[in-house]
Amino acid sequence: MSELFDAQLVGTAIRQATPLILAALGGLMSERVGVINIGLEGKILMGAFAAALGTLLTGSPLVGLICAIVVGLALALLHAVATQELRTDHIVSGVAINLLALGLSTYLFRQIIVPREEAGESSVVRMFGAASLGGLENLPGLNALLKDQSWLTLFALVLPFLLLVLLTRTRWGLRVYAVGNDSIKARTMGVPVKRLRYLGVLWSGVLASMAGAFLVLAATGQFRENMSAGRGFIALAALIFGRWHPLGAAGAALGFGFFEALQMRLQGQPVFGVQLPTDLLLMLPYLLTVIALMGLLGKMKPPSDLGN
Amino acid sequence: MFRARLLPALLGAAIVLTVLTVLVAAAGKPVGKSFLIILQGAIGYPRTEAFSPADAWDAVLHDMTLLVLTGLSVAIALQAGLFNIGAAGQLLAGALAAAWVGTLQGVPMHSLVALLGGMAAGALWALVPVWLKVRRGAHEVISTIMFNYIALYLTHWLVTERLKDPASDAPQTVAIAEAARLPLLRDDLLQASWGLGIAVLVALALWLVLYRTVWGYEVRATGANRDAADAAGVPTARRMVEAMLLSGALAGLAGAVEVCGTQYRFFEGFPSEYGFDGIAVALLAGNHPALTLVSGWLMSALRSGTYHLHAETGAPKEIATVLQAVLILYVAAVYLRRRRIET
């Protein structure tokens, strides 16, 4: 058992959870202002592509990250205009954005990146190195968690607390609460509903595309077709599992990251003499979310004005 | 008439053609020739020596069978006000169930039983999400997405660990019995089976049921305005459950038809994306069962055409995916605006 659960597993879990936390908090910003966001998956994917392309062209992962954020903002703007100006159904728009991202990223990958590889260029881009915390990461207790993590991971670990303060301790947070729960009343009280909704959706674009950038710039070093691989939907699950609360969502994302790390560790390795099927472990986050939706873990209450 | 109906349709067609032109040109392919190749893949003409119209129709009618069924699945749920985004998972459940029933010995009317088995599995896969919706108020989109992934991993586990053909190296089930197979439309085709006939019959039957029966009227009333339907005495929760089970059964039928008509087995990586494509088919048809025949054919022709372009010139086949996304956004923005009502 000791070789199964060690510090390295926890480190891997945090790394696996990073994109989930970022995307889940992105989804949270959008859903808290009442806009359903099925399109996280697409924003992660396009973010990953833009990060790879930007870094490949300039050699700088920071430029790659900025490219990812710009593309994420563009997709988010599309969702915001579709749902707020054209009054499109939030889910239909999200489904279309996921399809668009899948199609466009693969199309552009084949058009731009693949030919460059044939010219002999490396497909692995320069990645962000491990963040330094001024020695803090070498402390006994913390080194397992924080050693060799990129600063994107550290950002993802701090962000839920920042958002919590922002949402519960500021005027802006109160307004977000008002818009998400009764936009008509909020508007009557003079809250700029539309502006807050745009902001919330745009934030989801920034954070989800950062999640995609993380996959390329801190995890694998290269773009692969459909590399988001359902992470946007797991992030959505974490958001619900965490009951639309920043700490809850981040906690659920960490939990799901732990399952992924455990599944990677368990591949081909029996536990107490039993071979656990990896498929069933991968299924666990989704199954847990369904159980949570069943109300077995207390009442799940989304923002009441969601989807209007 | 022109402004209300024809203009948006023409504008939509213009947008799709423009995007297509841009994507083809950006891929460095000659636009005029590419359009001819797409047309060839879509309807078989202009005929060339290497590519006969039958090749095109084989692919188009095969895809159309699946897209009409998944399109009907999404449409019937939407008519009841439910967004069944889980057709992909229900399709997988139906396909695996049909593949399993198809291998059993001594089953009378084997193909029919296999198809029914697929429908039952698909309905079962839709049961929990709709129960959560009606009883717990959980959004069906979230729960059906979760069930898609559960189906993906569960069927993958089953086909690699439990139901794998021991004689094969590939993770796939044993081929189904001859009696469980649906005949192909013509002997020289490879994929298009009489499943198409089933799909057409189901579409017409649903049209009658939705627009000519009290049950259908109540389903549509539930979808149009649940509160009003409730007030008028419609058992809306019941109708939603029934519509969703029917929706799951139709997606399961799509999987079963693919197994019994074309693949003859379940295998790792079974094409479940037809379930997602059904969303576009349903939206494009305005959720009308008879019109899904048209939109299902249109989408299949588009797919087959761009795939042919891919095979002939190497242009990325994801052009079809992008076009589908543009089409969904356009249809949703022009035809499917939200009314401000409580959900």
Side-chain angles (χ1 to χ4, degrees), chain B residues 288-307:
Chain B
H288 193 291
L291 289 180
T292 57
L293 293 174
V294 181
S295 67
W297 174 79
L298 201 67
M299 284 299 203
S300 311
L302 188 70
R303 273 170 77 113
S304 176
T306 46
Y307 194 84

mmCIF file with all atom_site columns, all heavy atoms in Angstrom, chain B residues 288-307:
data_model
loop_
_atom_site.group_PDB
_atom_site.id
_atom_site.type_symbol
_atom_site.label_atom_id
_atom_site.label_alt_id
_atom_site.label_comp_id
_atom_site.label_asym_id
_atom_site.label_entity_id
_atom_site.label_seq_id
_atom_site.pdbx_PDB_ins_code
_atom_site.Cartn_x
_atom_site.Cartn_y
_atom_site.Cartn_z
_atom_site.occupancy
_atom_site.B_iso_or_equiv
_atom_site.pdbx_formal_charge
_atom_site.auth_seq_id
_atom_site.auth_comp_id
_atom_site.auth_asym_id
_atom_site.auth_atom_id
_atom_site.pdbx_PDB_model_num
ATOM 1   N N   . HIS B 1 288 ? -38.957 18.560 -36.443 1.00 0.00 ? 288 HIS B N   1
ATOM 2   C CA  . HIS B 1 288 ? -40.087 17.898 -37.109 1.00 0.00 ? 288 HIS B CA  1
ATOM 3   C C   . HIS B 1 288 ? -39.626 16.544 -37.630 1.00 0.00 ? 288 HIS B C   1
ATOM 4   O O   . HIS B 1 288 ? -38.647 16.471 -38.384 1.00 0.00 ? 288 HIS B O   1
ATOM 5   C CB  . HIS B 1 288 ? -40.591 18.767 -38.255 1.00 0.00 ? 288 HIS B CB  1
ATOM 6   C CG  . HIS B 1 288 ? -41.918 18.330 -38.775 1.00 0.00 ? 288 HIS B CG  1
ATOM 7   N ND1 . HIS B 1 288 ? -42.068 17.151 -39.458 1.00 0.00 ? 288 HIS B ND1 1
ATOM 8   C CD2 . HIS B 1 288 ? -43.151 18.882 -38.684 1.00 0.00 ? 288 HIS B CD2 1
ATOM 9   C CE1 . HIS B 1 288 ? -43.342 17.009 -39.786 1.00 0.00 ? 288 HIS B CE1 1
ATOM 10  N NE2 . HIS B 1 288 ? -44.018 18.039 -39.316 1.00 0.00 ? 288 HIS B NE2 1
ATOM 11  N N   . PRO B 1 289 ? -40.319 15.454 -37.229 1.00 0.00 ? 289 PRO B N   1
ATOM 12  C CA  . PRO B 1 289 ? -39.850 14.111 -37.608 1.00 0.00 ? 289 PRO B CA  1
ATOM 13  C C   . PRO B 1 289 ? -39.690 13.923 -39.110 1.00 0.00 ? 289 PRO B C   1
ATOM 14  O O   . PRO B 1 289 ? -38.676 13.369 -39.554 1.00 0.00 ? 289 PRO B O   1
ATOM 15  C CB  . PRO B 1 289 ? -40.947 13.190 -37.059 1.00 0.00 ? 289 PRO B CB  1
ATOM 16  C CG  . PRO B 1 289 ? -41.568 13.950 -35.966 1.00 0.00 ? 289 PRO B CG  1
ATOM 17  C CD  . PRO B 1 289 ? -41.501 15.395 -36.352 1.00 0.00 ? 289 PRO B CD  1
ATOM 18  N N   . ALA B 1 290 ? -40.668 14.387 -39.898 1.00 0.00 ? 290 ALA B N   1
ATOM 19  C CA  . ALA B 1 290 ? -40.567 14.160 -41.343 1.00 0.00 ? 290 ALA B CA  1
ATOM 20  C C   . ALA B 1 290 ? -39.394 14.942 -41.927 1.00 0.00 ? 290 ALA B C   1
ATOM 21  O O   . ALA B 1 290 ? -38.704 14.474 -42.833 1.00 0.00 ? 290 ALA B O   1
ATOM 22  C CB  . ALA B 1 290 ? -41.871 14.553 -42.031 1.00 0.00 ? 290 ALA B CB  1
ATOM 23  N N   . LEU B 1 291 ? -39.149 16.132 -41.386 1.00 0.00 ? 291 LEU B N   1
ATOM 24  C CA  . LEU B 1 291 ? -38.061 16.951 -41.931 1.00 0.00 ? 291 LEU B CA  1
ATOM 25  C C   . LEU B 1 291 ? -36.683 16.410 -41.556 1.00 0.00 ? 291 LEU B C   1
ATOM 26  O O   . LEU B 1 291 ? -35.687 16.747 -42.209 1.00 0.00 ? 291 LEU B O   1
ATOM 27  C CB  . LEU B 1 291 ? -38.197 18.404 -41.462 1.00 0.00 ? 291 LEU B CB  1
ATOM 28  C CG  . LEU B 1 291 ? -39.362 19.183 -42.074 1.00 0.00 ? 291 LEU B CG  1
ATOM 29  C CD1 . LEU B 1 291 ? -39.392 20.603 -41.549 1.00 0.00 ? 291 LEU B CD1 1
ATOM 30  C CD2 . LEU B 1 291 ? -39.273 19.182 -43.594 1.00 0.00 ? 291 LEU B CD2 1
ATOM 31  N N   . THR B 1 292 ? -36.615 15.556 -40.507 1.00 0.00 ? 292 THR B N   1
ATOM 32  C CA  . THR B 1 292 ? -35.304 14.967 -40.200 1.00 0.00 ? 292 THR B CA  1
ATOM 33  C C   . THR B 1 292 ? -34.830 14.088 -41.354 1.00 0.00 ? 292 THR B C   1
ATOM 34  O O   . THR B 1 292 ? -33.632 13.884 -41.521 1.00 0.00 ? 292 THR B O   1
ATOM 35  C CB  . THR B 1 292 ? -35.322 14.099 -38.920 1.00 0.00 ? 292 THR B CB  1
ATOM 36  O OG1 . THR B 1 292 ? -36.299 13.094 -39.067 1.00 0.00 ? 292 THR B OG1 1
ATOM 37  C CG2 . THR B 1 292 ? -35.584 14.919 -37.685 1.00 0.00 ? 292 THR B CG2 1
ATOM 38  N N   . LEU B 1 293 ? -35.779 13.574 -42.152 1.00 0.00 ? 293 LEU B N   1
ATOM 39  C CA  . LEU B 1 293 ? -35.363 12.795 -43.322 1.00 0.00 ? 293 LEU B CA  1
ATOM 40  C C   . LEU B 1 293 ? -34.570 13.687 -44.273 1.00 0.00 ? 293 LEU B C   1
ATOM 41  O O   . LEU B 1 293 ? -33.562 13.277 -44.838 1.00 0.00 ? 293 LEU B O   1
ATOM 42  C CB  . LEU B 1 293 ? -36.592 12.211 -44.036 1.00 0.00 ? 293 LEU B CB  1
ATOM 43  C CG  . LEU B 1 293 ? -37.373 11.152 -43.261 1.00 0.00 ? 293 LEU B CG  1
ATOM 44  C CD1 . LEU B 1 293 ? -38.634 10.761 -44.008 1.00 0.00 ? 293 LEU B CD1 1
ATOM 45  C CD2 . LEU B 1 293 ? -36.496 9.928  -43.030 1.00 0.00 ? 293 LEU B CD2 1
ATOM 46  N N   . VAL B 1 294 ? -35.043 14.922 -44.424 1.00 0.00 ? 294 VAL B N   1
ATOM 47  C CA  . VAL B 1 294 ? -34.356 15.860 -45.317 1.00 0.00 ? 294 VAL B CA  1
ATOM 48  C C   . VAL B 1 294 ? -33.025 16.298 -44.707 1.00 0.00 ? 294 VAL B C   1
ATOM 49  O O   . VAL B 1 294 ? -31.966 16.238 -45.347 1.00 0.00 ? 294 VAL B O   1
ATOM 50  C CB  . VAL B 1 294 ? -35.242 17.095 -45.589 1.00 0.00 ? 294 VAL B CB  1
ATOM 51  C CG1 . VAL B 1 294 ? -34.526 18.054 -46.533 1.00 0.00 ? 294 VAL B CG1 1
ATOM 52  C CG2 . VAL B 1 294 ? -36.582 16.665 -46.165 1.00 0.00 ? 294 VAL B CG2 1
ATOM 53  N N   . SER B 1 295 ? -33.070 16.740 -43.435 1.00 0.00 ? 295 SER B N   1
ATOM 54  C CA  . SER B 1 295 ? -31.837 17.255 -42.839 1.00 0.00 ? 295 SER B CA  1
ATOM 55  C C   . SER B 1 295 ? -30.831 16.124 -42.630 1.00 0.00 ? 295 SER B C   1
ATOM 56  O O   . SER B 1 295 ? -29.627 16.331 -42.746 1.00 0.00 ? 295 SER B O   1
ATOM 57  C CB  . SER B 1 295 ? -32.133 17.985 -41.530 1.00 0.00 ? 295 SER B CB  1
ATOM 58  O OG  . SER B 1 295 ? -32.583 17.101 -40.543 1.00 0.00 ? 295 SER B OG  1
ATOM 59  N N   . GLY B 1 296 ? -31.336 14.919 -42.338 1.00 0.00 ? 296 GLY B N   1
ATOM 60  C CA  . GLY B 1 296 ? -30.439 13.772 -42.189 1.00 0.00 ? 296 GLY B CA  1
ATOM 61  C C   . GLY B 1 296 ? -29.723 13.469 -43.500 1.00 0.00 ? 296 GLY B C   1
ATOM 62  O O   . GLY B 1 296 ? -28.511 13.211 -43.521 1.00 0.00 ? 296 GLY B O   1
ATOM 63  N N   . TRP B 1 297 ? -30.480 13.547 -44.606 1.00 0.00 ? 297 TRP B N   1
ATOM 64  C CA  . TRP B 1 297 ? -29.837 13.325 -45.905 1.00 0.00 ? 297 TRP B CA  1
ATOM 65  C C   . TRP B 1 297 ? -28.821 14.424 -46.191 1.00 0.00 ? 297 TRP B C   1
ATOM 66  O O   . TRP B 1 297 ? -27.698 14.170 -46.628 1.00 0.00 ? 297 TRP B O   1
ATOM 67  C CB  . TRP B 1 297 ? -30.883 13.294 -47.018 1.00 0.00 ? 297 TRP B CB  1
ATOM 68  C CG  . TRP B 1 297 ? -30.218 13.222 -48.366 1.00 0.00 ? 297 TRP B CG  1
ATOM 69  C CD1 . TRP B 1 297 ? -29.686 12.116 -48.953 1.00 0.00 ? 297 TRP B CD1 1
ATOM 70  C CD2 . TRP B 1 297 ? -29.946 14.320 -49.236 1.00 0.00 ? 297 TRP B CD2 1
ATOM 71  N NE1 . TRP B 1 297 ? -29.090 12.456 -50.142 1.00 0.00 ? 297 TRP B NE1 1
ATOM 72  C CE2 . TRP B 1 297 ? -29.244 13.797 -50.347 1.00 0.00 ? 297 TRP B CE2 1
ATOM 73  C CE3 . TRP B 1 297 ? -30.227 15.687 -49.196 1.00 0.00 ? 297 TRP B CE3 1
ATOM 74  C CZ2 . TRP B 1 297 ? -28.817 14.596 -51.393 1.00 0.00 ? 297 TRP B CZ2 1
ATOM 75  C CZ3 . TRP B 1 297 ? -29.808 16.484 -50.249 1.00 0.00 ? 297 TRP B CZ3 1
ATOM 76  C CH2 . TRP B 1 297 ? -29.120 15.937 -51.333 1.00 0.00 ? 297 TRP B CH2 1
ATOM 77  N N   . LEU B 1 298 ? -29.201 15.678 -45.901 1.00 0.00 ? 298 LEU B N   1
ATOM 78  C CA  . LEU B 1 298 ? -28.331 16.814 -46.181 1.00 0.00 ? 298 LEU B CA  1
ATOM 79  C C   . LEU B 1 298 ? -27.002 16.679 -45.433 1.00 0.00 ? 298 LEU B C   1
ATOM 80  O O   . LEU B 1 298 ? -25.918 16.851 -45.997 1.00 0.00 ? 298 LEU B O   1
ATOM 81  C CB  . LEU B 1 298 ? -29.043 18.099 -45.770 1.00 0.00 ? 298 LEU B CB  1
ATOM 82  C CG  . LEU B 1 298 ? -28.556 19.385 -46.392 1.00 0.00 ? 298 LEU B CG  1
ATOM 83  C CD1 . LEU B 1 298 ? -28.860 19.401 -47.881 1.00 0.00 ? 298 LEU B CD1 1
ATOM 84  C CD2 . LEU B 1 298 ? -29.218 20.574 -45.708 1.00 0.00 ? 298 LEU B CD2 1
ATOM 85  N N   . MET B 1 299 ? -27.087 16.354 -44.138 1.00 0.00 ? 299 MET B N   1
ATOM 86  C CA  . MET B 1 299 ? -25.883 16.221 -43.328 1.00 0.00 ? 299 MET B CA  1
ATOM 87  C C   . MET B 1 299 ? -25.017 15.066 -43.834 1.00 0.00 ? 299 MET B C   1
ATOM 88  O O   . MET B 1 299 ? -23.794 15.167 -43.862 1.00 0.00 ? 299 MET B O   1
ATOM 89  C CB  . MET B 1 299 ? -26.250 15.961 -41.871 1.00 0.00 ? 299 MET B CB  1
ATOM 90  C CG  . MET B 1 299 ? -26.718 17.203 -41.151 1.00 0.00 ? 299 MET B CG  1
ATOM 91  S SD  . MET B 1 299 ? -25.416 18.429 -41.144 1.00 0.00 ? 299 MET B SD  1
ATOM 92  C CE  . MET B 1 299 ? -25.910 19.375 -39.780 1.00 0.00 ? 299 MET B CE  1
ATOM 93  N N   . SER B 1 300 ? -25.682 13.966 -44.210 1.00 0.00 ? 300 SER B N   1
ATOM 94  C CA  . SER B 1 300 ? -24.930 12.804 -44.703 1.00 0.00 ? 300 SER B CA  1
ATOM 95  C C   . SER B 1 300 ? -24.226 13.145 -46.000 1.00 0.00 ? 300 SER B C   1
ATOM 96  O O   . SER B 1 300 ? -23.068 12.764 -46.207 1.00 0.00 ? 300 SER B O   1
ATOM 97  C CB  . SER B 1 300 ? -25.865 11.624 -44.934 1.00 0.00 ? 300 SER B CB  1
ATOM 98  O OG  . SER B 1 300 ? -26.675 11.428 -43.829 1.00 0.00 ? 300 SER B OG  1
ATOM 99  N N   . ALA B 1 301 ? -24.932 13.866 -46.881 1.00 0.00 ? 301 ALA B N   1
ATOM 100 C CA  . ALA B 1 301 ? -24.333 14.240 -48.161 1.00 0.00 ? 301 ALA B CA  1
ATOM 101 C C   . ALA B 1 301 ? -23.125 15.150 -47.920 1.00 0.00 ? 301 ALA B C   1
ATOM 102 O O   . ALA B 1 301 ? -22.082 15.004 -48.555 1.00 0.00 ? 301 ALA B O   1
ATOM 103 C CB  . ALA B 1 301 ? -25.370 14.934 -49.041 1.00 0.00 ? 301 ALA B CB  1
ATOM 104 N N   . LEU B 1 302 ? -23.295 16.078 -46.961 1.00 0.00 ? 302 LEU B N   1
ATOM 105 C CA  . LEU B 1 302 ? -22.197 17.001 -46.621 1.00 0.00 ? 302 LEU B CA  1
ATOM 106 C C   . LEU B 1 302 ? -20.985 16.221 -46.119 1.00 0.00 ? 302 LEU B C   1
ATOM 107 O O   . LEU B 1 302 ? -19.840 16.443 -46.522 1.00 0.00 ? 302 LEU B O   1
ATOM 108 C CB  . LEU B 1 302 ? -22.687 17.972 -45.560 1.00 0.00 ? 302 LEU B CB  1
ATOM 109 C CG  . LEU B 1 302 ? -21.776 19.126 -45.188 1.00 0.00 ? 302 LEU B CG  1
ATOM 110 C CD1 . LEU B 1 302 ? -21.706 20.124 -46.327 1.00 0.00 ? 302 LEU B CD1 1
ATOM 111 C CD2 . LEU B 1 302 ? -22.280 19.819 -43.929 1.00 0.00 ? 302 LEU B CD2 1
ATOM 112 N N   . ARG B 1 303 ? -21.257 15.278 -45.212 1.00 0.00 ? 303 ARG B N   1
ATOM 113 C CA  . ARG B 1 303 ? -20.179 14.449 -44.651 1.00 0.00 ? 303 ARG B CA  1
ATOM 114 C C   . ARG B 1 303 ? -19.488 13.642 -45.727 1.00 0.00 ? 303 ARG B C   1
ATOM 115 O O   . ARG B 1 303 ? -18.268 13.627 -45.843 1.00 0.00 ? 303 ARG B O   1
ATOM 116 C CB  . ARG B 1 303 ? -20.764 13.459 -43.641 1.00 0.00 ? 303 ARG B CB  1
ATOM 117 C CG  . ARG B 1 303 ? -20.904 13.959 -42.259 1.00 0.00 ? 303 ARG B CG  1
ATOM 118 C CD  . ARG B 1 303 ? -21.717 12.951 -41.491 1.00 0.00 ? 303 ARG B CD  1
ATOM 119 N NE  . ARG B 1 303 ? -20.914 11.803 -41.146 1.00 0.00 ? 303 ARG B NE  1
ATOM 120 C CZ  . ARG B 1 303 ? -20.590 11.494 -39.897 1.00 0.00 ? 303 ARG B CZ  1
ATOM 121 N NH1 . ARG B 1 303 ? -21.012 12.240 -38.923 1.00 0.00 ? 303 ARG B NH1 1
ATOM 122 N NH2 . ARG B 1 303 ? -19.858 10.453 -39.630 1.00 0.00 ? 303 ARG B NH2 1
ATOM 123 N N   . SER B 1 304 ? -20.322 12.959 -46.517 1.00 0.00 ? 304 SER B N   1
ATOM 124 C CA  . SER B 1 304 ? -19.765 12.088 -47.536 1.00 0.00 ? 304 SER B CA  1
ATOM 125 C C   . SER B 1 304 ? -18.970 12.902 -48.560 1.00 0.00 ? 304 SER B C   1
ATOM 126 O O   . SER B 1 304 ? -17.898 12.493 -49.004 1.00 0.00 ? 304 SER B O   1
ATOM 127 C CB  . SER B 1 304 ? -20.900 11.323 -48.210 1.00 0.00 ? 304 SER B CB  1
ATOM 128 O OG  . SER B 1 304 ? -20.391 10.550 -49.250 1.00 0.00 ? 304 SER B OG  1
ATOM 129 N N   . GLY B 1 305 ? -19.511 14.086 -48.893 1.00 0.00 ? 305 GLY B N   1
ATOM 130 C CA  . GLY B 1 305 ? -18.829 14.948 -49.859 1.00 0.00 ? 305 GLY B CA  1
ATOM 131 C C   . GLY B 1 305 ? -17.481 15.413 -49.361 1.00 0.00 ? 305 GLY B C   1
ATOM 132 O O   . GLY B 1 305 ? -16.466 15.310 -50.062 1.00 0.00 ? 305 GLY B O   1
ATOM 133 N N   . THR B 1 306 ? -17.439 15.920 -48.114 1.00 0.00 ? 306 THR B N   1
ATOM 134 C CA  . THR B 1 306 ? -16.158 16.413 -47.599 1.00 0.00 ? 306 THR B CA  1
ATOM 135 C C   . THR B 1 306 ? -15.196 15.254 -47.358 1.00 0.00 ? 306 THR B C   1
ATOM 136 O O   . THR B 1 306 ? -13.989 15.399 -47.489 1.00 0.00 ? 306 THR B O   1
ATOM 137 C CB  . THR B 1 306 ? -16.348 17.214 -46.303 1.00 0.00 ? 306 THR B CB  1
ATOM 138 O OG1 . THR B 1 306 ? -17.220 16.506 -45.443 1.00 0.00 ? 306 THR B OG1 1
ATOM 139 C CG2 . THR B 1 306 ? -16.928 18.577 -46.584 1.00 0.00 ? 306 THR B CG2 1
ATOM 140 N N   . TYR B 1 307 ? -15.745 14.093 -47.015 1.00 0.00 ? 307 TYR B N   1
ATOM 141 C CA  . TYR B 1 307 ? -14.860 12.947 -46.811 1.00 0.00 ? 307 TYR B CA  1
ATOM 142 C C   . TYR B 1 307 ? -14.225 12.521 -48.138 1.00 0.00 ? 307 TYR B C   1
ATOM 143 O O   . TYR B 1 307 ? -13.056 12.174 -48.206 1.00 0.00 ? 307 TYR B O   1
ATOM 144 C CB  . TYR B 1 307 ? -15.614 11.773 -46.187 1.00 0.00 ? 307 TYR B CB  1
ATOM 145 C CG  . TYR B 1 307 ? -14.662 10.736 -45.661 1.00 0.00 ? 307 TYR B CG  1
ATOM 146 C CD1 . TYR B 1 307 ? -14.109 10.879 -44.390 1.00 0.00 ? 307 TYR B CD1 1
ATOM 147 C CD2 . TYR B 1 307 ? -14.260 9.662  -46.438 1.00 0.00 ? 307 TYR B CD2 1
ATOM 148 C CE1 . TYR B 1 307 ? -13.193 9.964  -43.905 1.00 0.00 ? 307 TYR B CE1 1
ATOM 149 C CE2 . TYR B 1 307 ? -13.344 8.743  -45.964 1.00 0.00 ? 307 TYR B CE2 1
ATOM 150 C CZ  . TYR B 1 307 ? -12.816 8.900  -44.708 1.00 0.00 ? 307 TYR B CZ  1
ATOM 151 O OH  . TYR B 1 307 ? -11.896 8.002  -44.235 1.00 0.00 ? 307 TYR B OH  1
#
